[in-house]
Amino acid sequence: MIELERPIRFEEVDAARIVFFARFLNFAHEAMEHFFAGLDGGYSRLIMERNVGLPAVDVAMQFFAPARYGDTLRIETTTARLGNRSATLRYRMSHRASGERLAEVRHTVVTSNLLEMRSIEMPSDVREIFSSHLEPDTRAGDEPRR
Amino acid sequence: MIELERPIRFEEVDAARIVFFARFLNFAHEAMEHFFAGLDGGYSRLIMERNVGLPAVDVAMQFFAPARYGDTLRIETTTARLGNRSATLRYRMSHRASGERLAEVRHTVVTSNLLEMRSIEMPSDVREIFSSHLEPDTRAGDEPRR
Amino acid sequence: MIELERPIRFEEVDAARIVFFARFLNFAHEAMEHFFAGLDGGYSRLIMERNVGLPAVDVAMQFFAPARYGDTLRIETTTARLGNRSATLRYRMSHRASGERLAEVRHTVVTSNLLEMRSIEMPSDVREIFSSHLEPDTRAGDEPRR
Amino acid sequence: MIELERPIRFEEVDAARIVFFARFLNFAHEAMEHFFAGLDGGYSRLIMERNVGLPAVDVAMQFFAPARYGDTLRIETTTARLGNRSATLRYRMSHRASGERLAEVRHTVVTSNLLEMRSIEMPSDVREIFSSHLEPDTRAGDEPRR
């Protein structure tokens, strides 16, 4: 599990004064970039120099409580499923101060060549990071379990 | 079904040069605001004057093909489920020029008093719009079918 | 002068419940894309196929009154200055319903080859659009007047 | 001077593959929130509990070089001018690794009561932070020098 803490920013709320629901996917991606910080050159080198990326094919989100400006999020990222070319990341988002559960996001990605935009075998360094954070009760398998 | 067409904008892509996955939730919300344009004063009066909103409790997204700068999206919005306090919107997003399917989003919302942030009975004008665009094979029912 | 009207969207406000100041630059760019809609293939083909763009070198913004969710903006775009390689766009933003002046943005751009990220002579179709919307009292000149 | 370092994120670039120009105002605001971290409860309590904010009245930006995904920004924030009710923040943004100057933003704000959206005398704790980071050659004065 990789943890990220980040404050809600001033412009991340909406006209209902709670964090805009789409923002939780921005937070998820930020947590994914942090998850892959251990790659040589980080996630950005994977994208910019190796032309390999992890486009989403499926997202499932649940919202439990609203977040507001002034809150700090804790995001715990794990690998919920690991296949040959795809994987599912799980982000558990909570309110740092109270521990209250705010949202959960499952994010299924496919390792892709960005120039040709087609799936490829997962590079070994990417797989290693996914493997290191596999949830304890998860068995490998290429098919999403929904 | 309510339809919205909107061009992809310059800043909606990411470092992989495709539309950033979170943006599809912004598009979904934009389509929802358009869906409720028939309310007196539109969705904005519901929020700003009546203090009623539709916070998300559940989102499911599937991505079929990437969108790029220069593409125009067609978004078809329907009511996939209608309950007493909640409803599920479905957004079918396609590439206007080719008709290619790009993404589908299901978005479950709960009618809420925004001042107290608790669920309320759905106001009749909101219900009427949901009802008018109910998918043909959908039966009413308060429980999400996932 | 090219005019664009667009409603403020739900997520464009901030924790102070007014449109977040950076958003006015998003609106400016949206108005610029609209300004160049007459190019063959629009602004997106300029960027994506011709690899020509208009990166900003200077921006000046003034804010006169806040905008809120529910407001619709009117944006009037003109060419405040036209040089050989650069130009300054002026966006006058007002509240459509009341006519109240909300913001003004001056945006100086340099015609650039995006692959090499260096300035180039302005293509004639780009120049033609700038010329067509030159402010009446503006004389051509390559130097910004600040 | 208060310093903030932050990596460019995946979605902060545009179709020209450089950081979208409006994002630099998001970075500026992020730096301003960091600048005021020393307030009791931070900038968020000022906004959310004290209903005091710092809406922008004037922004001036200069862009010297593009930023890209993978770069990390260094933002140095100072007080360029301090008046009774208003102040001008200056953000010098550079590329952390090379030290190259990327952008400079001057951001004039007016201390405001957010409920009535009118200017107020600057609270002493807000003034203290502005004062602590006043540029050496700056004399106090209520009028912007442009």
Side-chain angles (χ1 to χ4, degrees):
Chain A
M1 191 264 287
I2 295 277
E3 195 171 298
L4 175 68
E5 293 190 352
R6 55 99 76 210
I8 299 300
R9 291 210 310 272
F10 185 69
E11 73 266 36
E12 293 176 336
V13 300
D14 58 31
R17 298 206 92 176
I18 60 176
V19 172
F20 186 59
F21 79 138
R23 293 278 184 182
F24 288 90
L25 279 190
N26 291 263
F27 304 156
H29 200 278
E30 192 175 332
M32 186 177 83
E33 295 183 63
H34 182 65
F35 185 80
F36 284 114
L39 290 179
D40 183 28
Y43 191 71
S44 62
R45 183 177 293 170
L46 187 71
I47 297 289
M48 299 298 280
E49 296 182 18
R50 296 165 66 185
N51 290 302
V52 171
L54 297 171
V57 292
D58 195 279
V59 163
M61 308 170 79
Q62 290 167 281
F63 300 90
F64 306 111
R68 292 185 169 80
Y69 183 49
D71 294 345
T72 292
L73 283 189
R74 171 176 290 136
I75 308 177
E76 298 175 355
T77 307
T78 53
T79 305
R81 191 188 57 77
L82 180 57
N84 289 325
R85 292 168 180 243
S86 78
T88 300
L89 289 148
R90 184 195 309 268
Y91 312 89
R92 289 184 173 88
M93 303 187 187
S94 57
H95 186 262
R96 188 185 62 176
S98 69
E100 188 186 17
R101 190 169 65 150
L102 299 176
E104 183 171 322
V105 179
R106 278 171 297 140
H107 174 207
T108 301
V109 297
V110 174
T111 323
S112 300
N113 175 315
L114 295 177
L115 300 180
E116 305 173 6
M117 206 46 85
R118 57 172 184 73
S119 73
I120 57 170
E121 292 288 311
M122 195 178 285
S124 59
D125 56 344
V126 171
R127 172 171 301 280
E128 200 172 300
I129 289 178
F130 276 127
S131 295
S132 304
H133 303 286
L134 209 50
E135 294 174 8
D137 58 345
T138 306
R139 292 166 310 167
D142 212 5
E143 294 310 303
R145 303 177 307 171
R146 297 192 62 203
Chain B
M1 189 265 288
I2 294 276
E3 194 171 299
L4 174 68
E5 292 189 355
R6 55 100 75 210
I8 299 302
R9 290 209 312 272
F10 185 69
E11 73 266 35
E12 293 176 338
V13 299
D14 58 30
R17 300 207 88 177
I18 61 176
V19 172
F20 186 58
F21 78 138
R23 295 278 184 181
F24 287 90
L25 278 190
N26 291 266
F27 304 156
H29 201 277
E30 191 175 332
M32 186 177 83
E33 294 183 64
H34 182 64
F35 185 81
F36 284 114
L39 291 179
D40 183 28
Y43 191 71
S44 62
R45 185 177 294 171
L46 188 72
I47 297 288
M48 299 296 282
E49 296 181 19
R50 296 164 66 186
N51 290 303
V52 171
L54 298 171
V57 292
D58 195 280
V59 164
M61 311 170 77
Q62 292 167 279
F63 300 91
F64 306 111
R68 293 186 168 78
Y69 183 48
D71 294 345
T72 292
L73 282 190
R74 170 176 290 135
I75 308 177
E76 299 176 355
T77 307
T78 53
T79 305
R81 191 187 56 81
L82 180 56
N84 289 327
R85 292 169 180 244
S86 79
T88 300
L89 290 147
R90 185 195 308 269
Y91 312 89
R92 289 184 174 88
M93 304 189 187
S94 58
H95 185 263
R96 187 185 62 176
S98 69
E100 188 186 18
R101 189 168 66 149
L102 298 177
E104 183 171 320
V105 178
R106 277 172 298 140
H107 174 207
T108 301
V109 297
V110 174
T111 323
S112 300
N113 176 314
L114 295 178
L115 301 180
E116 304 173 8
M117 206 46 85
R118 56 170 184 74
S119 73
I120 56 170
E121 291 290 310
M122 196 177 286
S124 61
D125 56 345
V126 171
R127 171 172 302 281
E128 200 172 300
I129 290 179
F130 276 128
S131 295
S132 304
H133 302 287
L134 209 49
E135 294 175 10
D137 58 345
T138 306
R139 292 166 308 168
D142 211 5
E143 294 310 304
R145 303 177 307 172
R146 298 191 60 206
Chain C
M1 191 264 287
I2 294 276
E3 194 171 299
L4 175 68
E5 293 190 355
R6 54 98 78 209
I8 299 300
R9 291 211 310 272
F10 185 68
E11 74 267 35
E12 293 176 337
V13 300
D14 58 31
R17 299 206 90 176
I18 61 176
V19 172
F20 185 59
F21 79 137
R23 293 278 185 183
F24 288 89
L25 279 190
N26 291 263
F27 304 156
H29 202 278
E30 191 174 332
M32 186 178 81
E33 295 184 62
H34 183 64
F35 185 81
F36 285 113
L39 290 179
D40 183 28
Y43 191 71
S44 63
R45 184 177 293 170
L46 188 72
I47 297 290
M48 300 297 281
E49 296 182 18
R50 295 165 67 185
N51 291 302
V52 171
L54 297 170
V57 292
D58 195 279
V59 163
M61 310 171 77
Q62 291 168 278
F63 300 90
F64 306 111
R68 292 187 167 78
Y69 184 48
D71 294 344
T72 292
L73 283 189
R74 170 177 291 135
I75 308 177
E76 298 176 354
T77 307
T78 52
T79 305
R81 190 187 57 79
L82 180 57
N84 288 325
R85 294 168 180 243
S86 79
T88 300
L89 291 148
R90 185 194 309 268
Y91 312 88
R92 288 185 173 87
M93 304 190 187
S94 58
H95 185 262
R96 188 184 62 177
S98 69
E100 188 186 18
R101 190 168 65 149
L102 298 176
E104 182 171 321
V105 179
R106 278 172 297 141
H107 174 207
T108 301
V109 297
V110 174
T111 324
S112 301
N113 174 314
L114 295 177
L115 301 180
E116 305 173 6
M117 205 48 84
R118 56 171 184 74
S119 73
I120 56 171
E121 291 289 310
M122 198 178 283
S124 60
D125 56 344
V126 172
R127 172 172 300 279
E128 200 173 300
I129 289 178
F130 276 127
S131 296
S132 303
H133 303 287
L134 208 51
E135 295 173 8
D137 58 345
T138 306
R139 292 167 307 166
D142 213 6
E143 295 310 302
R145 302 177 309 170
R146 298 189 62 204
Chain D
M1 190 264 287
I2 294 277
E3 194 171 298
L4 175 68
E5 293 190 353
R6 54 99 75 210
I8 299 300
R9 291 210 310 272
F10 185 68
E11 72 267 33
E12 293 176 337
V13 298
D14 59 29
R17 300 206 89 176
I18 60 176
V19 172
F20 186 59
F21 78 137
R23 294 279 185 181
F24 288 90
L25 278 190
N26 291 265
F27 304 156
H29 201 279
E30 191 175 331
M32 186 177 82
E33 294 183 63
H34 183 63
F35 185 81
F36 284 114
L39 291 178
D40 183 28
Y43 191 72
S44 62
R45 184 176 294 169
L46 187 72
I47 297 289
M48 300 296 282
E49 296 181 19
R50 295 166 66 186
N51 290 303
V52 171
L54 297 171
V57 292
D58 194 279
V59 164
M61 308 170 78
Q62 291 168 278
F63 300 91
F64 306 111
R68 293 187 167 78
Y69 183 48
D71 294 345
T72 293
L73 284 189
R74 171 177 291 136
I75 308 178
E76 298 175 357
T77 307
T78 53
T79 305
R81 191 188 58 78
L82 180 58
N84 288 327
R85 292 169 181 243
S86 78
T88 300
L89 291 148
R90 184 195 309 269
Y91 312 90
R92 289 186 174 88
M93 304 189 188
S94 58
H95 185 264
R96 187 185 61 176
S98 70
E100 188 185 18
R101 190 169 65 150
L102 298 176
E104 183 171 321
V105 179
R106 277 172 298 140
H107 174 206
T108 301
V109 297
V110 174
T111 322
S112 300
N113 175 314
L114 295 177
L115 300 180
E116 305 172 8
M117 205 48 85
R118 56 171 183 75
S119 73
I120 57 171
E121 291 290 310
M122 196 177 286
S124 61
D125 55 345
V126 171
R127 173 171 301 279
E128 199 171 303
I129 290 178
F130 276 127
S131 297
S132 304
H133 302 286
L134 208 51
E135 296 174 7
D137 57 346
T138 305
R139 292 166 308 168
D142 211 8
E143 294 311 301
R145 302 177 308 172
R146 296 190 62 204

